Amino acid sequence: MIAEIIFTGTELLLGQILNTNAQFLQQELSALGVDLYYQVTVGDNLGRCTSAIKQASGRADLVIIGGGLGPTEDDISREALAEALGVELVEHPDALAVVRRFFDLRGIPVSQNNLKQALVPRGGKVLDNPIGTAPGIILEKEGKIYILVPGPPSEFIKMVRERVIPYLREKLGGSTGVIKSRVLKFCGIGEALLDERLSDLLKSNNPTLAPTAKFFEVNLRITAKARDDAEADEMIVAMEEKVRDRLGSFIFGVDDETLPGVVNRLLRETGKTIATMEDFTGGRLASSLSSADGADKTFIIGLVIKDLYRLHEKVNLGWAGELPGGISERAEHLAAALRKRYNCDIGVSVTAERDSSSDIPATNYKFYYAADFNGNKMSKEVLLWGEGENLAQRAAVYALVLLWRYLKHGIPF
């Protein structure tokens, strides 16, 4: 079965509301083995919503419409469905009962506007909504299935779980399957090189592989469609083994694992503690390490300062001693002084200066990363680009990459 989802609401297009319903419904459909090829968001406009439904009906067996079932003039999903299918809206006794129950239980009169929610495209089946005034609707016409679900997340999730999914499972009968995914997370390798190393595997139809790049990280999603969970897991494991054979040394985590969480786990496993000193990054490295699981056993302290060398005397860093002249030597010196001052196993310092050789010096910085691992000093110079918070975040993530590479594979800074 091929599905398409349409979400209505101008507030979604304006970015005023985060569409959490989308992710939930995607996961539920995948678990049923339903293929989702398109997801559309359309504003509160009758003509555009009608057009979206017509378009969806031409390329999907199942069309689910979320939102637009309220009592106001801009709630137009039921009207759009009726117009798209050429059927009339009629008052449905079951829908009227849902609307009246909500008000009767609260001892307040039914608003005239709310009576609009009792209208259903002729031939439609009403889905109960025990926590709201908007009934859901299922309509089967010419071999297609159309489902309308109210937009508020609490109502949407409850109706999908308790009404929509059981209905779809019954319709699918023995043809139901599952779609499962696993995400492998890489660092230290770019998307282009990953694509090159896995070019033949990326052509696989089932399971499929899909890479996505982010800050110094590439995610590779493996998705399998199978008869049941066991078969899907077996397919994913087999593909994952092929990927790990080629690029396993770059994989730091799976699914919900994060780089700060993995670094903290490696620190715990080796019994190491860490302290950080940051210039320019605004404490983002310390924040990510200190908030990860298990940080109470690994993270000692994070010092954050702006323009460390200019303010050295003002902030009383006398314990660091006299700073060397070269910036990379200074970074190593501070990492070592930090480790000794706070009696930990690892001291890490991050600092930066503008790259004067660049044509756009305001957006290019040389970052200096240094670490002292129980007396083993190392440092690295890296040119990064960007502005403001974006650049600071990139710099902090790169520090995590360096830490992971050393803790996991012994690769020095």
Side-chain angles (χ1 to χ4, degrees):
M1 177 180 285
I2 297 174
E4 181 160 341
I5 306 172
I6 300 172
F7 288 102
T8 69
T10 302
E11 66 277 9
L12 296 175
L13 294 175
L14 294 176
Q16 295 173 341
I17 293 179
L18 179 64
N19 189 357
T20 56
N21 290 342
Q23 183 182 35
F24 168 75
L25 184 54
Q26 290 158 7
Q27 292 170 346
E28 293 295 314
L29 293 176
S30 293
L32 280 178
V34 174
D35 292 309
L36 179 61
Y37 292 166
Y38 294 93
Q39 177 180 299
V40 176
T41 302
V42 62
D44 299 314
N45 177 278
L46 181 60
R48 288 191 287 272
C49 190
T50 301
S51 177
I53 294 172
K54 288 180 178 179
Q55 186 178 45
S57 66
R59 59 193 182 194
D61 310 302
L62 167 66
V63 180
I64 300 178
I65 304 159
L69 295 180
T72 62
E73 288 187 10
D74 62 352
D75 291 307
I76 43 77
S77 291
R78 61 178 70 82
E79 290 82 357
L81 179 61
E83 186 170 318
L85 300 183
V87 298
E88 62 178 330
L89 283 172
V90 295
E91 185 174 274
H92 195 294
D94 293 342
L96 182 60
V98 171
V99 176
R100 289 194 177 281
R101 179 185 62 199
F102 182 91
F103 290 93
D104 291 346
L105 289 174
R106 291 159 178 78
I108 54 179
V110 179
S111 165
Q112 191 65 32
N113 286 352
N114 285 102
L115 294 177
K116 167 187 175 181
Q117 295 175 293
L119 299 177
V120 174
R122 186 176 294 279
K125 173 186 175 182
V126 173
L127 300 178
D128 190 19
N129 182 355
I131 59 174
T133 62
I137 299 169
I138 294 178
L139 178 61
E140 297 183 28
K141 185 175 175 61
E142 297 177 356
K144 309 283 186 176
I145 301 172
Y146 303 87
I147 303 179
L148 279 70
V149 187
S154 59
E155 299 176 38
F156 184 92
I157 291 171
K158 187 175 181 65
M159 188 173 292
V160 168
R161 279 182 175 160
E162 298 180 4
R163 301 288 186 267
V164 175
I165 296 303
Y167 163 82
L168 291 175
R169 188 173 288 117
E170 182 178 346
K171 292 295 292 185
L172 289 167
S175 64
T176 184
V178 298
I179 299 175
K180 295 190 72 174
S181 295
R182 179 174 302 163
V183 177
L184 304 182
K185 298 186 174 183
F186 298 74
C187 68
I189 185 172
E191 186 178 17
L193 182 55
L194 181 142
D195 183 272
E196 181 181 307
R197 296 276 191 91
L198 302 178
S199 59
D200 58 320
L201 300 182
L202 290 168
K203 296 181 176 68
S204 171
N205 291 321
N206 189 24
T208 60
L209 279 75
T212 305
K214 22 172 52 173
F215 280 139
F216 295 107
E217 180 181 322
V218 179
N219 291 353
L220 182 69
R221 187 184 68 251
I222 305 173
T223 303
K225 185 174 183 180
R227 290 168 297 182
D228 52 41
D229 285 341
E231 183 181 28
D233 288 338
E234 184 177 339
M235 294 168 66
I236 290 172
V237 167
M239 180 60 78
E240 181 178 347
E241 288 177 352
K242 294 178 182 178
V243 174
R244 286 185 179 274
D245 284 344
R246 303 183 192 186
L247 298 174
S249 62
F250 297 100
I251 299 174
F252 73 82
V254 175
D255 291 335
D256 295 330
E257 290 182 311
T258 65
L259 194 52
V262 171
V263 169
N264 257 302
R265 188 185 69 224
L266 291 171
L267 290 170
R268 292 197 310 273
E269 291 173 352
T270 55
K272 304 297 184 186
T273 55
I274 189 170
T276 62
M277 177 182 287
E278 300 173 69
D279 174 17
F280 189 95
T281 56
R284 286 168 177 80
L285 174 60
S287 176
S288 61
L289 286 172
S290 63
S291 59
D293 289 343
D296 57 317
K297 296 180 174 61
T298 62
F299 188 78
I300 303 299
I301 193 170
L303 303 181
V304 183
I305 192 169
K306 186 69 175 174
D307 200 347
L308 174 64
Y309 307 116
R310 183 172 61 83
L311 300 177
H312 179 228
E313 297 299 328
K314 294 184 179 180
V315 296
N316 189 25
L317 293 180
W319 50 266
E322 185 177 350
L323 298 181
I327 190 168
S328 60
E329 291 81 4
R330 288 182 181 184
E332 285 191 11
H333 177 88
L334 286 168
L338 183 67
R339 181 184 67 80
K340 293 174 183 176
R341 173 69 174 81
Y342 293 102
N343 192 30
C344 56
D345 299 293
I346 305 169
V348 176
S349 68
V350 182
T351 189
E353 65 177 358
R354 285 187 176 180
D355 178 24
S356 58
S357 65
S358 170
D359 292 334
I360 316 176
T363 58
N364 289 268
Y365 279 77
K366 287 180 181 178
F367 281 84
Y368 298 86
Y369 298 90
D372 184 322
F373 288 80
N374 285 323
N376 182 21
K377 297 179 183 179
M378 58 191 74
S379 61
K380 187 176 185 68
E381 176 187 318
V382 180
L383 181 66
L384 298 177
W385 61 94
E387 291 184 309
E389 185 175 345
N390 177 276
L391 180 57
Q393 185 62 32
R394 289 171 65 86
V397 172
Y398 194 82
L400 291 170
V401 173
L402 293 174
L403 281 168
W404 175 78
R405 281 159 55 92
Y406 185 79
L407 292 168
K408 181 67 176 180
H409 299 296
I411 301 173
F413 281 30

PDB file of all heavy atoms in Angstrom, residues 196-207:
ATOM      1  N   GLU A 196      31.648   7.415  -2.064  1.00  0.00           N
ATOM      2  CA  GLU A 196      32.586   6.719  -2.947  1.00  0.00           C
ATOM      3  C   GLU A 196      32.892   5.310  -2.450  1.00  0.00           C
ATOM      4  O   GLU A 196      32.898   4.351  -3.223  1.00  0.00           O
ATOM      5  CB  GLU A 196      33.874   7.533  -3.042  1.00  0.00           C
ATOM      6  CG  GLU A 196      34.936   6.940  -3.947  1.00  0.00           C
ATOM      7  CD  GLU A 196      36.189   7.793  -3.968  1.00  0.00           C
ATOM      8  OE1 GLU A 196      36.064   9.006  -4.244  1.00  0.00           O
ATOM      9  OE2 GLU A 196      37.276   7.263  -3.690  1.00  0.00           O
ATOM     10  N   ARG A 197      33.106   5.188  -1.135  1.00  0.00           N
ATOM     11  CA  ARG A 197      33.456   3.887  -0.555  1.00  0.00           C
ATOM     12  C   ARG A 197      32.279   2.915  -0.558  1.00  0.00           C
ATOM     13  O   ARG A 197      32.463   1.701  -0.548  1.00  0.00           O
ATOM     14  CB  ARG A 197      33.929   4.085   0.892  1.00  0.00           C
ATOM     15  CG  ARG A 197      35.207   4.900   1.028  1.00  0.00           C
ATOM     16  CD  ARG A 197      36.445   4.045   0.846  1.00  0.00           C
ATOM     17  NE  ARG A 197      37.638   4.780   1.234  1.00  0.00           N
ATOM     18  CZ  ARG A 197      38.150   4.766   2.462  1.00  0.00           C
ATOM     19  NH1 ARG A 197      37.579   4.057   3.417  1.00  0.00           N
ATOM     20  NH2 ARG A 197      39.236   5.453   2.728  1.00  0.00           N
ATOM     21  N   LEU A 198      31.060   3.455  -0.560  1.00  0.00           N
ATOM     22  CA  LEU A 198      29.865   2.600  -0.468  1.00  0.00           C
ATOM     23  C   LEU A 198      29.020   2.670  -1.729  1.00  0.00           C
ATOM     24  O   LEU A 198      27.834   2.325  -1.705  1.00  0.00           O
ATOM     25  CB  LEU A 198      29.010   3.020   0.731  1.00  0.00           C
ATOM     26  CG  LEU A 198      29.665   3.002   2.113  1.00  0.00           C
ATOM     27  CD1 LEU A 198      28.689   3.496   3.162  1.00  0.00           C
ATOM     28  CD2 LEU A 198      30.156   1.597   2.465  1.00  0.00           C
ATOM     29  N   SER A 199      29.602   3.096  -2.836  1.00  0.00           N
ATOM     30  CA  SER A 199      28.815   3.379  -4.044  1.00  0.00           C
ATOM     31  C   SER A 199      27.965   2.200  -4.485  1.00  0.00           C
ATOM     32  O   SER A 199      26.804   2.367  -4.872  1.00  0.00           O
ATOM     33  CB  SER A 199      29.739   3.811  -5.180  1.00  0.00           C
ATOM     34  OG  SER A 199      30.693   2.800  -5.464  1.00  0.00           O
ATOM     35  N   ASP A 200      28.501   0.975  -4.441  1.00  0.00           N
ATOM     36  CA  ASP A 200      27.718  -0.188  -4.873  1.00  0.00           C
ATOM     37  C   ASP A 200      26.597  -0.508  -3.892  1.00  0.00           C
ATOM     38  O   ASP A 200      25.482  -0.870  -4.294  1.00  0.00           O
ATOM     39  CB  ASP A 200      28.627  -1.407  -5.058  1.00  0.00           C
ATOM     40  CG  ASP A 200      29.385  -1.764  -3.794  1.00  0.00           C
ATOM     41  OD1 ASP A 200      29.845  -0.834  -3.089  1.00  0.00           O
ATOM     42  OD2 ASP A 200      29.522  -2.964  -3.496  1.00  0.00           O
ATOM     43  N   LEU A 201      26.865  -0.351  -2.592  1.00  0.00           N
ATOM     44  CA  LEU A 201      25.835  -0.637  -1.591  1.00  0.00           C
ATOM     45  C   LEU A 201      24.707   0.383  -1.645  1.00  0.00           C
ATOM     46  O   LEU A 201      23.546   0.059  -1.364  1.00  0.00           O
ATOM     47  CB  LEU A 201      26.446  -0.649  -0.189  1.00  0.00           C
ATOM     48  CG  LEU A 201      27.558  -1.675   0.071  1.00  0.00           C
ATOM     49  CD1 LEU A 201      28.032  -1.585   1.515  1.00  0.00           C
ATOM     50  CD2 LEU A 201      27.072  -3.087  -0.244  1.00  0.00           C
ATOM     51  N   LEU A 202      25.027   1.612  -2.018  1.00  0.00           N
ATOM     52  CA  LEU A 202      24.007   2.654  -2.089  1.00  0.00           C
ATOM     53  C   LEU A 202      23.001   2.397  -3.212  1.00  0.00           C
ATOM     54  O   LEU A 202      21.936   3.025  -3.246  1.00  0.00           O
ATOM     55  CB  LEU A 202      24.667   4.019  -2.288  1.00  0.00           C
ATOM     56  CG  LEU A 202      25.444   4.556  -1.088  1.00  0.00           C
ATOM     57  CD1 LEU A 202      26.287   5.760  -1.488  1.00  0.00           C
ATOM     58  CD2 LEU A 202      24.504   4.929   0.040  1.00  0.00           C
ATOM     59  N   LYS A 203      23.307   1.477  -4.101  1.00  0.00           N
ATOM     60  CA  LYS A 203      22.385   1.130  -5.182  1.00  0.00           C
ATOM     61  C   LYS A 203      21.390   0.038  -4.771  1.00  0.00           C
ATOM     62  O   LYS A 203      20.512  -0.331  -5.539  1.00  0.00           O
ATOM     63  CB  LYS A 203      23.166   0.668  -6.414  1.00  0.00           C
ATOM     64  CG  LYS A 203      24.051   1.745  -7.041  1.00  0.00           C
ATOM     65  CD  LYS A 203      24.771   1.204  -8.267  1.00  0.00           C
ATOM     66  CE  LYS A 203      25.589   2.286  -8.970  1.00  0.00           C
ATOM     67  NZ  LYS A 203      26.733   2.737  -8.190  1.00  0.00           N
ATOM     68  N   SER A 204      21.547  -0.481  -3.566  1.00  0.00           N
ATOM     69  CA  SER A 204      20.662  -1.548  -3.089  1.00  0.00           C
ATOM     70  C   SER A 204      19.213  -1.066  -2.999  1.00  0.00           C
ATOM     71  O   SER A 204      18.938   0.054  -2.564  1.00  0.00           O
ATOM     72  CB  SER A 204      21.132  -2.024  -1.708  1.00  0.00           C
ATOM     73  OG  SER A 204      20.192  -2.911  -1.124  1.00  0.00           O
ATOM     74  N   ASN A 205      18.277  -1.919  -3.410  1.00  0.00           N
ATOM     75  CA  ASN A 205      16.852  -1.579  -3.362  1.00  0.00           C
ATOM     76  C   ASN A 205      16.191  -1.958  -2.046  1.00  0.00           C
ATOM     77  O   ASN A 205      15.256  -1.305  -1.601  1.00  0.00           O
ATOM     78  CB  ASN A 205      16.110  -2.273  -4.512  1.00  0.00           C
ATOM     79  CG  ASN A 205      16.483  -1.721  -5.865  1.00  0.00           C
ATOM     80  OD1 ASN A 205      16.657  -0.509  -6.000  1.00  0.00           O
ATOM     81  ND2 ASN A 205      16.634  -2.583  -6.847  1.00  0.00           N
ATOM     82  N   ASN A 206      16.654  -3.035  -1.425  1.00  0.00           N
ATOM     83  CA  ASN A 206      16.082  -3.474  -0.154  1.00  0.00           C
ATOM     84  C   ASN A 206      17.076  -4.405   0.538  1.00  0.00           C
ATOM     85  O   ASN A 206      17.275  -5.521   0.059  1.00  0.00           O
ATOM     86  CB  ASN A 206      14.761  -4.201  -0.370  1.00  0.00           C
ATOM     87  CG  ASN A 206      14.022  -4.470   0.946  1.00  0.00           C
ATOM     88  OD1 ASN A 206      14.231  -3.782   1.930  1.00  0.00           O
ATOM     89  ND2 ASN A 206      13.170  -5.481   0.940  1.00  0.00           N
ATOM     90  N   PRO A 207      17.705  -3.909   1.597  1.00  0.00           N
ATOM     91  CA  PRO A 207      17.509  -2.615   2.243  1.00  0.00           C
ATOM     92  C   PRO A 207      18.147  -1.476   1.462  1.00  0.00           C
ATOM     93  O   PRO A 207      19.059  -1.693   0.678  1.00  0.00           O
ATOM     94  CB  PRO A 207      18.190  -2.796   3.600  1.00  0.00           C
ATOM     95  CG  PRO A 207      19.239  -3.827   3.362  1.00  0.00           C
ATOM     96  CD  PRO A 207      18.676  -4.771   2.336  1.00  0.00           C
TER      97      PRO A 207
END
